[in-house]
Amino acid sequence: MSEFREALDATISHLESLKRAGVTHLPVRAETLEALSRPVAPSAPLAAAPPAAEAQDMFAERIRYTGSTKAEKMASLRKQALACVKCKHLAASRTQVVFGVGNPESELMFVGEAPGADEDAKGEPFVGRAGQLLTKIIETMGYKRSDIYIGNILKCRPNMPEGESGNRQPTDPEMQTCLPWLHAQIDIIQPKVLVALGAVALRGLLPELSGGITKLRGRWLLYRNIPMMPTYHPAFVLRQYTMQNRRLIWEDMLAVLERLGRPITPKMQNYFKSE
Ligand code: URA
């Protein structure tokens, strides 16, 4: 099937899923309507689909954004990401693209795995139970959630088999296809520190590393010259809600605050020590 046909099918599926979700109208620009009403000129035959590796490069090439401020660049990138249908199965199953949220001028950026059902419904990363824990951690660090930037490796919720709830991990091809959006987000923000939340975020950002999150958490790494702290995913901490796990994730955040030269009060220092 041609890339055009695949993109068309994915667009149709996406529109159908919006309809199922109750959306009855979509804004369409006047120029688009005008262009759609024109007869289609006979065109040259479509080029054969490029091999997978080439298609990947072409996709990375296409991520260009405009604007002079970080906010303008992020808005330009977001607009393109919201229309992405590169993974046609995810474009068909998602409610919406979950691009990222927060301050593009932030000194600190958190990277998670992929949207879950709550995020897919709301269009914002980390708004479910794990998100509530992340927000609590951010606030305990002395920030507001809106001060920092939060993104994911995958911008669409990994689809689940018909009738099954819950979440699944992103596959490698899904990650490879989606990662250029995250790389571009980080390029725009240029945070002073990145936090990789869990094994999938760590593998997505530094695929060359061997060793799991249990071994690597708490150790400073570098992503394109940006200091990166890998730590546990909040969902893991919720699943194994032990004093040890809560203390470890908090210790990693204290190291982040120290690196950023942020104030650390004795109370912050002593969390989870006296319980
Ligand atoms: N888990 C993630 O990794 N990301 C989200 O946005 C929500 C839950």
Side-chain angles (χ1 to χ4, degrees):
M1 207 194 299
S2 73
E3 279 211 326
F4 170 76
R5 186 70 235 180
E6 285 187 5
L8 187 62
D9 286 349
T11 307
I12 292 168
S13 304
H14 179 53
L15 290 172
E16 281 168 349
S17 72
L18 286 177
K19 198 170 161 193
R20 282 196 299 278
V23 176
T24 52
H25 291 81
L26 285 176
V28 180
R29 285 183 303 150
E31 311 90 273
T32 312
L33 280 180
E34 201 274 322
L36 284 171
S37 68
R38 269 186 257 133
V40 181
S43 59
L46 287 173
E54 204 185 320
Q56 181 68 41
D57 282 356
M58 281 168 55
F59 180 61
E61 275 301 310
R62 257 191 273 151
I63 304 207
R64 302 241 184 276
Y65 41 83
T66 55
S68 41
T69 65
K70 290 184 179 187
E72 286 167 358
K73 288 177 186 169
M74 197 62 93
S76 153
L77 185 71
R78 181 172 197 273
K79 196 169 161 199
Q80 297 175 67
L82 295 193
C84 181
V85 288
K86 196 74 189 163
C87 302
K88 63 180 191 334
H89 59 298
L90 299 186
S93 61
R94 73 190 178 207
T95 304
Q96 54 198 312
V97 172
V98 181
F99 175 67
V101 71
N103 177 8
E105 303 274 352
S106 180
E107 60 184 3
L108 176 59
M109 175 168 177
F110 286 84
V111 176
E113 182 177 314
D118 295 320
E119 290 75 21
D120 175 66
K122 187 136 187 243
E124 182 173 328
F126 283 100
V127 291
R129 274 188 75 225
Q132 282 159 23
L133 177 56
L134 179 63
T135 304
K136 198 167 159 197
I137 291 169
I138 289 166
E139 289 172 354
T140 311
M141 291 170 81
Y143 292 100
K144 291 200 291 280
R145 181 174 154 109
S146 56
D147 290 336
I148 51 109
Y149 197 89
I150 308 173
N152 276 317
I153 297 285
L154 230 63
K155 308 298 186 225
C156 293
R157 180 177 189 222
N159 58 334
M160 295 298 290
E162 193 71 40
E164 269 187 42
S165 58
N167 296 313
R168 69 159 171 87
Q169 280 199 358
T171 63
D172 280 349
E174 287 168 347
M175 283 169 68
Q176 288 320 310
T177 307
C178 204
L179 269 165
W181 296 115
L182 180 65
H183 293 313
Q185 285 173 303
I186 300 173
D187 281 346
I188 292 171
I189 299 170
Q190 286 298 318
K192 290 194 192 132
V193 167
L194 271 167
V195 175
L197 296 166
V200 172
L202 177 59
R203 186 156 52 88
L205 288 169
L206 296 178
E208 63 279 12
L209 280 188
S210 58
I213 192 75
T214 310
K215 181 169 150 218
L216 292 172
R217 64 137 287 279
R219 300 191 193 183
W220 283 108
L221 303 168
L222 271 186
Y223 163 89
R224 294 196 195 173
N225 256 349
I226 301 173
M228 182 169 103
M229 173 58 74
T231 193
Y232 288 144
H233 194 290
F236 166 78
V237 177
L238 285 175
R239 275 196 309 276
Q240 300 194 20
Y241 203 65
T242 62
M243 178 63 72
Q244 159 92 341
N245 287 340
R246 283 184 286 162
R247 183 182 303 140
L248 289 178
I249 194 171
W250 181 243
E251 276 175 11
D252 298 344
M253 295 308 102
L254 288 178
V256 165
L257 289 174
E258 196 178 1
R259 182 97 189 202
L260 289 168
R262 300 271 304 184
I264 300 179
T265 61
K267 187 175 168 200
M268 285 158 108
Q269 200 84 56
N270 290 328
Y271 274 130
F272 305 117
K273 286 212 171 137
S274 51
E275 278 184 50

